[in-house]
Amino acid sequence: MQKLIEKSGVGRAIHHQRNAAEKNGIELTDNINDADIVHINTVFPKSAILALRAHIRNIPVIYHAHSTREDFKNSYIGSNLFANAFGKWLKFCYSLGDVIVTPTEYSKQLLMSYGIKKRIEAVSNGIDLNYYNREKTNAENFRKKYGYSDDDKIIMSVGLTIERKGVCDFVELAKRMPQYKFIWFGETNLNTVPLNVRKVVETKLPNLCFAGYASKDDLKEAYAACDLFLFMSKEETEGIVVLEALAMKTPVLLRDIPVYSDWLKKDRDVYKADSIDEFETEIKQIIAGEKPDITENGYSVAKQREIYKIGNKLKKIYNDTINNYAAVHKLNGVKLAGNNDKL
């Protein structure tokens, strides 16, 4: 169901995995009959069925946990009402994996709190530093396309236009600071979000632009051209767009939430804030150059999550899973499917 998730972080993560696999010589197939191991990223009913089909064929399963009960809340109409039921469904799906992979230690701890007993590995979604390269990007194209002058101070964000991503606070800051230009990339069907969020997204301000979905080429130019990447999400399992901004050496201001606590340090790698008032103060100081430039430190964090390194970690997990699965099932006299020497 790639088309359904193409514009989401999960869709981006799948592209990252394919890139990481190719860079590490891992052969990919979309045909389960050719697979040595199955890697699933979504929690649709078809995803669970695929995991069950793999087990019937004695093929080990990696289940990638991008979604949590916590990030399902404050997203769509009725999401809070069904959050507990969704959490139970997630536990069922993820438990179908022989190994579960999730982007951060924070999301790993959340999964463990659900009572999931399977092995869980924290592996970043990764970032392609060859592609996200400020020096190879024409930032002027972005300002020309959106009608910004060289003197305009631009604050950008990326994400679905839902409450959890901080879109309401983003618009409030645009109202408070008309001296800056605010632009948001990403979109959501407004019929699926609460009325208050719909009204916020439909706000008309001379310094505010909801630019809709943008290609990765357009986003790369935006990262290079803007003065600040503002990500006010209230819950994440990692945040691929944060890695993109760090890789592009763009100043980053985040909401201070637990997912970043162990790998993005405040005022060392990124700037952080909690309240609207604090965000406003931080923005003014960053734009005015009153805070130190820490973009090189942020870039160092991105380098630790370079896509080849992530692919190498996944390759090890694949091999370990295949070998462990083989050891267990050979003891039980079960013949394994697939050609297990590919990896």
Side-chain angles (χ1 to χ4, degrees):
M1 302 181 73
Q2 181 72 26
K3 288 184 179 179
L4 186 61
I5 61 170
E6 187 69 32
K7 297 180 181 180
S8 71
V10 177
R12 302 271 278 283
I14 293 172
H15 286 300
H16 284 206
Q17 288 166 21
R18 288 183 176 276
N19 188 0
E22 289 167 0
K23 288 180 182 296
N24 281 272
I26 300 172
E27 184 181 353
L28 303 175
T29 178
D30 290 326
N31 186 339
I32 189 173
N33 296 316
D34 296 330
D36 299 308
I37 191 164
V38 172
H39 190 152
I40 301 174
N41 284 271
T42 51
V43 292
F44 302 118
K46 287 179 66 175
S47 310
I49 292 170
L50 176 61
L52 292 169
R53 286 176 59 204
H55 285 307
I56 290 171
R57 288 166 170 77
N58 296 310
I59 304 171
V61 173
I62 300 293
Y63 220 120
H64 214 119
H66 299 284
S67 301
T68 65
R69 178 179 59 220
E70 287 72 15
D71 69 18
F72 182 68
K73 293 179 179 178
N74 300 315
S75 297
Y76 304 99
I77 294 173
S79 60
N80 289 2
L81 182 63
F82 294 104
N84 287 336
F86 184 65
K88 292 177 180 178
W89 172 251
L90 290 179
K91 180 180 178 181
F92 168 74
C93 288
Y94 295 156
S95 295
L96 293 173
D98 295 284
V99 174
I100 300 165
V101 175
T102 195
T104 57
E105 287 294 332
Y106 169 74
S107 54
K108 177 179 177 178
Q109 293 303 314
L110 288 181
L111 298 179
M112 291 173 65
S113 74
Y114 298 170
I116 295 174
K117 303 301 182 182
K118 297 295 182 72
R119 172 185 163 196
I120 305 174
E121 295 283 350
V123 180
S124 170
N125 288 304
I127 187 71
D128 187 347
L129 295 181
N130 288 327
Y131 178 79
Y132 289 98
N133 186 317
R134 176 178 283 268
E135 284 69 35
K136 297 179 182 178
T137 305
N138 189 346
E140 293 180 3
N141 285 346
F142 168 78
R143 289 185 177 256
K144 289 178 181 177
K145 181 174 180 178
Y146 291 95
Y148 295 128
S149 71
D150 292 340
D151 296 327
D152 284 332
K153 299 300 181 182
I154 305 170
I155 298 165
M156 70 172 284
S157 193
V158 182
L160 299 173
T161 47
I162 56 179
E163 183 180 351
R164 174 176 65 84
K165 291 292 186 179
V167 66
C168 298
D169 292 340
F170 188 83
V171 172
E172 174 60 26
L173 287 171
K175 290 177 180 178
R176 290 189 181 196
M177 294 182 282
Q179 68 271 36
Y180 306 135
K181 305 295 184 182
F182 287 75
I183 185 167
W184 182 290
F185 293 98
E187 60 188 2
T188 302
N189 184 337
L190 294 183
N191 293 320
T192 66
V193 299
L195 181 60
N196 67 307
V197 178
R198 192 183 315 168
K199 289 181 177 179
V200 164
V201 176
E202 292 173 344
T203 299
K204 303 299 181 185
L205 295 172
N207 69 324
L208 174 66
C209 174
F210 281 99
Y213 177 75
S215 70
K216 65 177 186 178
D217 289 343
D218 288 340
L219 274 183
K220 185 170 71 165
E221 290 181 350
Y223 288 126
C226 75
D227 298 280
L228 177 66
F229 178 70
L230 175 62
F231 196 58
M232 305 177 76
S233 180
K234 301 173 182 178
E235 184 68 32
E236 292 290 325
T237 53
E238 182 175 45
I240 290 177
V241 292
V242 174
L243 292 177
E244 292 171 354
L246 293 174
M248 292 297 294
K249 300 183 181 180
T250 305
V252 174
L253 174 58
L254 305 172
R255 191 181 299 275
D256 196 355
I257 55 177
V259 68
Y260 304 124
S261 61
D262 64 329
W263 60 285
L264 288 174
K265 298 301 181 183
K266 182 177 181 179
D267 293 331
R268 186 195 70 181
D269 310 312
V270 297
Y271 309 107
K272 296 182 182 181
D274 285 309
S275 66
I276 286 287
D277 290 341
E278 189 176 349
F279 272 111
E280 182 178 2
T281 300
E282 288 282 318
I283 289 171
K284 289 178 179 177
Q285 291 178 348
I286 294 166
I287 297 297
E290 296 172 1
K291 297 182 77 71
D293 182 352
I294 54 177
T295 53
E296 287 296 333
N297 293 344
Y299 182 73
S300 295
V301 174
K303 284 176 66 176
Q304 296 168 15
R305 289 158 174 77
E306 198 276 326
I307 201 72
Y308 175 81
K309 296 177 182 177
I310 298 306
N312 192 262
K313 290 181 180 180
L314 288 175
K315 184 173 183 177
K316 185 178 186 305
I317 292 171
Y318 293 158
N319 275 318
D320 288 347
T321 305
I322 288 171
N323 292 334
N324 292 339
Y325 194 92
V328 170
H329 286 76
K330 281 181 179 177
L331 286 175
N332 294 331
V334 176
K335 182 180 179 182
L336 288 173
N339 174 18
N340 293 316
D341 63 3
K342 286 184 184 176
L343 298 184

